[in-house]
Amino acid sequence: MEAIVKKRIKQVIKGDQDAFGEIVEIYKNSVYQLCFRMLGNKHEAEDVAQEAFIRAYVNIKSFNQDLKFSTWLFRIATNLCIDRMRKKKPDYYLDAEVAGTEGLTMYSQIPSNTPLPEKELESLELQETVQKEILKLPEKYRSAIVLKYVEELSLNEISEILDLPLGTVKTRIHRGREALRQQLRYV
Amino acid sequence: MCPEHIIDLMHEYLDEEIDQENERILREHIQSCKECEAIFNELKKTVAFVKSISNMQAPADFTANVLARLPKEKKKVWIGRWLRNHPMLAAASLFLILMVGSLFSTWNQDREFSVSKQKNLVVKNNTVIVPKGEVVKGDVIVRNGTLKIEGEVQGDVTVINGEKYLASAGHVTGQIDEVNEVFDWIWYHMKRTVQETIEIFDHSETE
């Protein structure tokens, strides 16, 4: 896989956009998923994921070909997501419908002390619940948790993507896990 | 409240970084502490939940949309790929381009006037005249010039890339040939074009 990607990157550096299309095909799902779990909005996730690929294309010459391409790509995508999250913060309105969900308003995003109702055990609703709780995590825990459990990356890779020491990554994952446990314990 | 170091061990366990000794400590503690057991199970459940949501697909037109938003690619690459994808069309168009180009350029070069040497031929500028009443013996070859025959030529007349005028009084005993080298040029360029096309494809395949 990495060998194919390396070959395609060489073609992209020569300016071949079709070769880049193949790279997009390989990584589109994981990049899109990363953005969606970080942003919680399908439209925005697609926009940011596309932006990540475009940045990768434009800056492909600065990519160190001895490293793993996916690490570099995920780093671009994660940074774009974090930028987007910071920018859109003032746009939050409690009664605005949460994009990508039906009928969920920001009121439902506020943690409640009452246990979640039993019907949420059902798989689709469970997924929504988990997504909702991930979105409630502070951005620094959220990126670590998403990279670890949604993208299933190693701690070392996450440390490279986030440009943080391994110890910091572990702390963030621990805190993220703990926060999620508090919210999901009664599910 | 559960001891902090046991909670740390739980996270070490979940990071798959716990060593055997610590794992034993963790397990022994959990067996004796209901509260820690609950937290440990909740953590494991949380991880399972978060993992369970991981299978999203990008929208169907994602790649096309990305490619549409990319800056324009370099012409050289575009031409290179076009040649690879349409070899026949490429060969044909390349042929045409070179043909037309060469006919207008190369054909116009190399136009030196020359004429075979017979002493009674009269040469004026680029015109060769076989004067009235004269008899020229041997073959007459005129290259890139005009030949006017007013007298007699005892032999063949060849005009390459030029014109000949045979006056009514003029006479040629041998054959008259007008070779306009165009066809030779065409043949030459056809060979060259095919060769170049093959080279281009060889080159792109070895890339």
Side-chain angles (χ1 to χ4, degrees), chain B:
Chain B
M1 196 57 210
C2 295
E4 196 61 38
H5 75 277
I6 294 296
I7 303 286
D8 285 346
L9 288 183
M10 289 183 198
H11 286 293
E12 267 184 42
Y13 175 88
L14 293 170
D15 287 341
E16 290 165 17
E17 292 198 326
I18 198 164
D19 57 40
Q20 281 188 334
E21 173 63 11
N22 281 334
E23 188 170 347
R24 191 186 53 78
I25 296 170
L26 176 65
R27 294 212 178 275
E28 276 174 10
H29 179 82
I30 281 171
Q31 275 170 3
S32 61
C33 173
K34 281 281 162 244
E35 207 178 338
C36 275
E37 190 187 14
I39 291 175
F40 190 52
N41 287 335
E42 283 165 14
L43 277 172
K44 285 200 285 187
K45 189 174 76 171
T46 301
V47 167
F49 279 169
V50 177
K51 277 185 174 170
S52 75
I53 61 169
S54 61
N55 46 33
M56 282 199 84
Q57 302 244 309
D61 52 359
F62 186 87
T63 305
N65 288 340
V66 170
L67 293 180
R69 282 176 65 184
L70 290 183
K72 284 268 176 294
E73 73 182 343
K74 287 183 219 147
K75 259 212 178 96
K76 210 178 88 189
V77 176
W78 184 86
I79 291 169
R81 193 176 51 239
W82 189 84
L83 290 178
R84 263 202 304 280
N85 294 343
H86 309 277
M88 284 314 285
L89 275 174
S93 52
L94 211 63
F95 176 75
L96 267 177
I97 290 166
L98 288 174
M99 278 293 297
V100 173
S102 59
L103 286 182
F104 280 102
S105 60
T106 351
W107 176 238
N108 285 319
Q109 294 161 4
D110 191 27
R111 303 204 93 184
E112 259 172 59
F113 169 76
S114 70
V115 63
S116 55
K117 278 172 186 157
Q118 275 109 345
K119 55 186 176 190
N120 43 9
L121 285 175
V122 177
V123 179
K124 271 183 194 167
N125 293 328
N126 285 2
T127 307
V128 180
I129 303 166
V130 180
K132 233 180 210 171
E134 294 275 350
V135 177
V136 176
K137 288 184 180 173
D139 298 342
V140 175
I141 299 165
V142 177
R143 214 180 274 268
N144 299 315
T146 312
L147 175 65
K148 281 184 185 170
I149 304 166
E150 291 164 350
E152 191 182 338
V153 177
Q154 290 182 347
D156 295 341
V157 169
T158 311
V159 180
I160 297 166
N161 193 21
E163 288 173 291
K164 66 143 189 32
Y165 301 104
L166 189 59
S168 53
H171 181 65
V172 177
T173 54
Q175 284 190 314
I176 302 179
D177 258 336
E178 267 188 277
V179 178
N180 280 328
E181 286 171 298
V182 175
F183 290 106
D184 287 341
W185 277 110
I186 291 175
W187 179 233
Y188 170 70
H189 281 294
M190 270 170 76
K191 282 192 290 190
R192 214 177 66 167
T193 308
V194 169
Q195 222 162 20
E196 279 174 3
T197 316
I198 290 166
E199 273 168 24
I200 285 170
F201 290 121
D202 282 353
H203 181 67
S204 45
E205 270 163 35
T206 53
E207 270 180 342

